[in-house]
Amino acid sequence: MLKSLFFLLSLYLCVLGFQNPIKASDGSDPFMVYHEGYYYLTTTTWNNIQLTRATTIAGLKAAQPKVIWTDSTSSRCCNMWAPEIHWQDKEGSWYIYYSAGSSGTLDNQRLHVLKGSSNIIWDSNWSFAGRIVIPNRDVWSIDGTIMILDSTRYLVYSSWDGSDQCLWIAQMNSATTVGNAVKISTPTLPWERVDSNVNEGPAAIYHGGRTWIVYSASGCAGTGYKLGRLELTGSNPLSASSWTKYANPIFVGANGNNEPGHNGFFQSPSGNQIWNVYHASSSVPSTCDGKRYTMIQQVNWNADGTPNLGSPRPLSDNMPEPV
Ligand SMILES: *[C@@H]1O[C@H](CO)[C@@H](O)[C@H](O)[C@H]1NC(C)=O
């Protein structure tokens, strides 16, 4: 009796659905993962790392975030950006990858890692697991994400090369150590060079045996922020020539949701759907701050097997819960 009541209730909640945004402020650089009955959401809040969790997207909108990390160590106290939660199979632990640096400047941003103490994300106490030192270029680095290919793991992140902020890849030797980095994308196309020359916020997506890196292009302040993509078309991900950039962006502003970007991908509870979580701004030009809100929508697939992210849907849309 109780069981069927719960079933009916969850069915009702699914039909009811939700409306974007799912986080109305401090929704920048979002990342989500679904694990053991809960969605987990993290975003950039600058001074700390916060997690929010709930069993439904509608529930996530109402849930209180929990601060899981602050740090007074001067080299990584501040500008905490773009946390991502990743399970590392070899270590059998959850890790949070994030960017941070020192007070009063953005020039010292580096990649850092926290380790969870429990297999349940929410129950974890988080401890500092290390800074990711890139052997061949220990310089400004942000937006680390994990790409997994045939059970080999790679770190993909963003770092400057001259006046271009580029994407780089390195093979991981452990959850916190990597080999030398190789540059796989430079902002060369006009739509990657609006306000500033930027490729950042990489996110891997896999489908039908193919792998893409979706990334954010152009300056986050201004009118040009959007998503582009690379596809792994060669065999060695550590070779720049293995990556092919698509000539056109894959996701641009629409319906009052401007400068959409810095996305992540997460699987629905059944594992049968992939959803895009990203931030957008109501203002033009947009600003690189906490006014950006978090949105989600389902990823579809084109007849040729490529991802179709659509365009940012109106905030007035009632969307069904992921299934
Ligand atoms: C987290 O830390 C508290 C306080 O030390 C401890 O009681 C608890 O068992 C820890 N939880 C996990 C899952 O490690």
Side-chain angles (χ1 to χ4, degrees):
M1 177 62 189
L2 204 58
K3 218 171 177 181
S4 54
L5 261 178
F6 274 123
F7 177 74
L8 282 175
L9 182 66
S10 56
L11 202 65
Y12 172 70
L13 287 173
C14 283
V15 170
L16 208 61
F18 69 93
Q19 287 181 325
N20 278 310
I22 63 164
K23 192 173 185 202
S25 65
D26 275 343
S28 309
D29 314 329
F31 183 86
M32 283 178 67
V33 63
Y34 184 84
H35 183 247
E36 305 258 327
Y38 288 91
Y39 296 96
Y40 292 85
L41 168 68
T42 63
T43 62
T44 289
T45 52
W46 278 273
N47 299 321
N48 54 34
I49 296 175
Q50 301 180 8
L51 295 181
T52 309
R53 83 160 181 178
T55 55
T56 62
I57 300 296
L60 203 54
K61 282 182 69 162
Q64 282 301 311
K66 154 165 114 170
V67 174
I68 58 101
W69 190 253
T70 57
D71 201 327
S72 56
T73 310
S74 60
S75 62
R76 56 174 195 260
C77 63
C78 303
N79 322 313
M80 292 185 192
W81 293 346
E84 296 196 2
I85 314 161
H86 293 276
W87 174 257
Q88 291 285 10
D89 225 16
K90 290 207 175 75
E91 289 79 7
S93 294
W94 289 103
Y95 289 86
I96 294 178
Y97 294 82
Y98 66 103
S99 317
S102 48
S103 177
T105 175
L106 302 180
D107 292 345
N108 298 324
Q109 295 295 90
R110 296 290 192 280
L111 303 173
H112 302 278
V113 191
L114 305 178
K115 183 179 185 178
S117 65
S118 167
N119 289 0
I120 302 300
I121 297 168
W122 196 253
D123 294 345
S124 278
N125 298 312
W126 298 90
S127 57
F128 188 71
R131 177 168 85 79
I132 299 186
V133 178
I134 318 287
N136 60 333
R137 47 187 334 273
D138 184 14
V139 295
W140 193 93
S141 307
I142 64 164
D143 294 352
T145 195
I146 310 297
M147 180 186 81
I148 297 174
L149 278 178
D150 302 326
S151 69
T152 301
R153 51 193 170 165
Y154 300 87
L155 175 76
V156 185
Y157 67 98
S158 178
S159 176
W160 291 93
D161 187 14
S163 60
D164 295 323
Q165 196 186 319
C166 302
L167 296 181
W168 303 74
I169 192 170
Q171 191 169 328
M172 303 188 81
N173 300 320
S174 73
T176 56
T177 60
V178 298
N180 287 339
V182 174
K183 185 169 66 174
I184 55 168
S185 181
T186 302
T188 51
L189 302 172
W191 55 266
E192 300 178 292
R193 302 172 72 84
V194 183
D195 300 305
S196 48
N197 314 335
V198 173
N199 284 177
E200 64 181 16
I205 182 168
Y206 319 91
H207 184 68
R210 296 165 70 176
T211 301
W212 296 265
I213 298 284
V214 170
Y215 62 92
S216 302
S218 288
C220 60
T223 57
Y225 211 56
K226 59 178 83 66
L227 296 178
R229 66 196 146 137
L230 305 172
E231 182 170 4
L232 182 64
T233 49
S235 53
N236 179 9
L238 295 174
S239 164
S241 62
S242 291
W243 294 93
T244 304
K245 183 180 291 185
Y246 286 65
N248 295 311
I250 191 176
F251 199 63
V252 300
N255 298 312
N257 302 304
N258 307 296
E259 278 66 72
H262 204 119
N263 78 313
F265 294 109
F266 65 97
Q267 288 195 329
S268 64
S270 69
N272 293 331
Q273 301 174 339
I274 299 179
W275 284 62
N276 181 19
V277 58
Y278 60 96
H279 71 226
S281 173
S282 59
S283 56
V284 182
S286 70
T287 44
C288 308
D289 59 18
K291 288 184 193 138
R292 295 172 297 186
Y293 44 81
T294 306
M295 299 183 69
I296 66 168
Q297 60 195 59
Q298 194 183 340
V299 175
N300 292 301
W301 302 97
N302 296 312
D304 66 359
T306 57
N308 182 341
L309 304 188
S311 51
R313 295 181 50 172
L315 300 182
S316 56
D317 274 9
N318 286 306
M319 316 242 296
E321 292 274 341
V323 290

